Every structure is written in C-alpha cells, then in structure tokens.
Amino acid sequence: MKEIRVGVIGIGSMGRHHVRNVRETPGETLVAVADPAGDKFGVAGELEVLPDVTALIGAGIEAAVVAVPTAFHLEVALQLAAAGIPALIEKPLARTVAEGEQIVGAFQQSNLVGAAGYVERCNPALIELQKRVAAGELGEVFQIATRRQGPFPARISDVGVIKDLATHDVDLTAWIAGARYQSVSARTARKSGREHEDLLVATGVLENGVLVNHIVNWFSPFKERLTTVTGEKGALVADTMNSTLTFYENGTKAVEWDQVANVRGVSVGEVTQYALDQREPLRVEHENFVAALNGDASRIVPLTDALQTLRVLEAMVQSRDTGQTVDL
C-alpha cells in the first residue's frame, strides 16, 4: 500500500491526537503540521509548525486532517478542495448549514474524498450495536435514547452542547436506525454564565417512526455516554465510555405473580454482555480514511451525512428559540 503524505491543521486538544494517529497508522506519513497558535502540546517533533493552510498545502501534502475550531472549517476546507486535497474534517462539519453546503459542494465538484470526524461511529460498542440492529436481532426498533453528560471541558469556547456533544448523538442515531430525522423538539438552559447553552433535552421522530430522546449537558459531576436501542425483542445498551455492549432480552418465562402479570408489557429475560475487541476509535477512523483514499469509502462518515446532522442541529436551535417542534 502506498504511503500517503498527510498534513494536520489544528494541533490543539483534538488535533494532537490526530497527529499521533497519523504517525502510527499504516498508509499515512505525517509530513506537515500547521497551527497559527503554535504547538501548545509539543506534538510537532522535528516538523516545523506552519502558520496556515496555504503553507500546509505548499508542503506537498496528499491528504489533510482538519482539526481547527469550527469557525475556520469553511475557509480551510475550501482551500483544500481548490487544491485537490482530500480531507478528514472534524465534527461538526461547519458553523451553519449554508457553510456546510459550500464544503460538501466543493468536495463533490472536485471529486475528492471527504470524511467527517464522527469518531463515535468507530467505537467498538457502537459498531457492534449497529451491526446487530441491522441484522434484525432486536426485530422492529421502537426507540433510541442517548445520554451524554459530564463536567464542562475547558477546551470548548465557540459552541454549546448542541453542536459539540449532541452532534454525536444525532449522527449515531440516524446511522444506527438507518433513517433521517423527521421532526425534532428541543429545550436548553444556560447555567454556567457562558454565551452558549450547557444543558439540552431533545426529542424527535425518525422517518421510519423510531422515537428518539437525547439528554445532553456539561453540568453533571459524573461522565456518562450511553446509547439505548429498544425493540420488539429487547434492548441493546452501548456504554461508549467503557466500550461495552449489553443485551437485555425480553423474558420468555411465564409470569405467575399476579401484580406483575396484570401489567401489559414485557418481562425481564436473559442479560448478555458481549466481548468486544478494544481498539482506539480514532485509530479506526484513520484506518477508514486511508481505505477511502485507496478506493474503499464504505467505512467513512461521508460529508453528506455530516451536513444532514447539521440540519438537525439547526432545527434543535430553531425549536429552542421558538418553542415549537420543527419538521425537517
């Protein structure tokens, strides 16, 4: 396999991990890094820290990883597309749907590989969950609920929980269900004194009728990353922080206790926790990007998916502002 000359722009909190993975992933060779703020985490090593995307392109890169703040995604992505350079762009795709449409259009017009950095899709627990749902192990899917909570991370300054955290849940929910959002309703709160929202509760319906619920905040003293898919045969619960997947099967035993038997619904059956290969999700993401650069784009998150996620996020903001359910 040919080694691809990769450059990383933005080597801060997230970009530093991309730098490490580019160095360690077969098929990628790190040849340049760029960040106008310098090398805060000391990851550049022997490489000069270039000032901008123009200099990065000038270093002779064949592919790029974009890990700059979301506000700069449009500018950087358009320059890369104009130069004919495929890219892995961190989530969210852009600040607005309009900017996202420009990025998608530029990469499509140039016929370039464009991947979105939704690393949760590379988590072992979610990969296994999606496979089992797609294989019909739950039967008909009724509901998908996510909880993404924890203390405020100092690295975030330009967006609130909708675009930083809920963007993961919206993306993985549509991916697991194999359906887009039909409508969404959201309420938020600001309790930290920051400009952006730090608590979110959102509900929605997908085009295939699956009900959706998201609880997201930066105000919990504990960290939680759970995705629960409930269907006619039971429920699958993915804990992506610990990379575990558990199946709670609907009970098949006869219920003889009258107080329970008189309640319509399901009973508790067998509980199974699956053994999973524990691999770093970001490494898997880079392997998928390399595969796409070599002709197999089946495993990346396409920019069109990231754009659709952005539409849902903007609908959440609209619902929050108007107090109304928004149809997509």
Side-chain angles (χ1 to χ4, degrees):
M1 179 170 56
K2 174 182 176 290
E3 288 289 316
I4 299 163
R5 294 169 55 86
V6 178
V8 178
I9 181 163
I11 53 175
S13 296
M14 189 64 193
R16 59 177 169 154
H17 298 298
H18 280 293
V19 167
R20 172 175 53 82
N21 276 280
V22 171
R23 283 194 169 113
E24 297 175 359
T25 301
E28 291 184 320
T29 298
L30 184 70
V31 298
V33 296
D35 195 318
D39 188 10
K40 176 181 177 182
F41 296 99
V43 297
E46 75 287 354
L47 296 173
E48 176 188 359
V49 181
L50 303 173
D52 52 32
V53 66
T54 301
L56 194 74
I57 293 169
I61 62 172
E62 298 172 310
V65 176
V66 179
V68 296
T70 307
F72 302 106
H73 281 194
L74 178 63
E75 175 188 350
V76 170
L78 292 184
Q79 287 194 53
L80 290 170
I85 296 172
L88 169 60
I89 304 172
E90 262 301 333
K91 61 82 189 169
L93 177 61
R95 287 181 298 185
T96 65
V97 169
E99 289 187 359
E101 288 173 339
Q102 290 185 64
I103 293 173
V104 171
F107 275 77
Q108 288 179 337
Q109 185 175 358
S110 299
N111 196 28
L112 293 169
V113 170
Y118 280 99
V119 73
E120 284 283 60
R121 285 210 207 179
C122 299
N123 187 288
L126 285 173
I127 291 173
E128 187 69 16
L129 185 153
Q130 192 273 339
K131 286 181 180 178
R132 290 180 178 275
V133 170
E137 293 189 17
L138 286 180
E140 181 186 353
V141 173
F142 301 147
Q143 184 180 53
I144 299 177
T146 68
R147 301 204 303 268
R148 190 172 298 269
Q149 309 179 81
F152 174 71
R155 64 180 176 81
I156 300 301
S157 61
D158 58 340
V159 293
V161 292
I162 290 179
K163 290 192 175 178
D164 183 69
L165 290 185
T167 184
H168 280 299
D169 296 316
V170 169
D171 173 73
L172 65 87
T173 294
W175 171 59
I176 291 167
R180 293 182 172 184
Y181 282 68
Q182 177 177 296
S183 64
V184 68
S185 177
R187 298 294 182 271
T188 67
R190 291 187 297 118
K191 298 298 182 182
S192 65
R194 297 175 65 251
E195 175 185 357
H196 304 287
E197 78 284 343
D198 40 43
L199 298 102
L200 164 72
V201 175
T203 60
V205 180
L206 304 185
E207 290 178 346
N208 59 359
V210 172
L211 302 180
V212 173
N213 179 69
H214 304 304
I215 296 176
V216 187
N217 71 59
W218 278 326
F219 245 88
S220 294
F222 60 91
K223 193 171 183 179
E224 185 177 46
R225 302 286 187 267
L226 291 179
T227 300
T228 301
V229 183
T230 302
E232 62 179 328
K233 297 181 180 180
L236 284 164
V237 180
D239 180 340
T240 54
M241 197 166 66
N242 297 303
S243 292
T244 61
L245 179 66
T246 306
F247 176 47
Y248 296 85
E249 183 182 16
N250 288 348
T252 57
K253 302 294 184 183
V255 178
E256 298 180 359
W257 183 12
D258 289 344
Q259 285 180 289
V260 176
N262 291 334
V263 177
R264 295 177 60 85
V266 300
S267 59
V268 178
E270 299 293 333
V271 178
T272 305
Q273 182 166 311
Y274 299 108
L276 305 174
D277 292 330
Q278 300 295 329
R279 302 191 64 223
E280 182 185 2
L282 196 62
R283 177 63 52 80
V284 176
E285 184 174 81
H286 275 268
E287 291 172 354
N288 294 347
F289 184 47
V290 170
L293 295 174
N294 284 284
D296 177 12
S298 63
R299 291 178 285 164
I300 60 170
V301 181
L303 297 184
T304 49
D305 281 15
L307 178 59
Q308 188 60 26
T309 294
L310 200 54
R311 290 192 174 104
V312 179
L313 300 179
E314 287 203 354
M316 285 182 177
V317 173
Q318 181 183 346
S319 175
R320 182 266 315 271
D321 292 344
T322 63
Q324 303 295 317
T325 298
V326 176
D327 293 326
L328 286 116

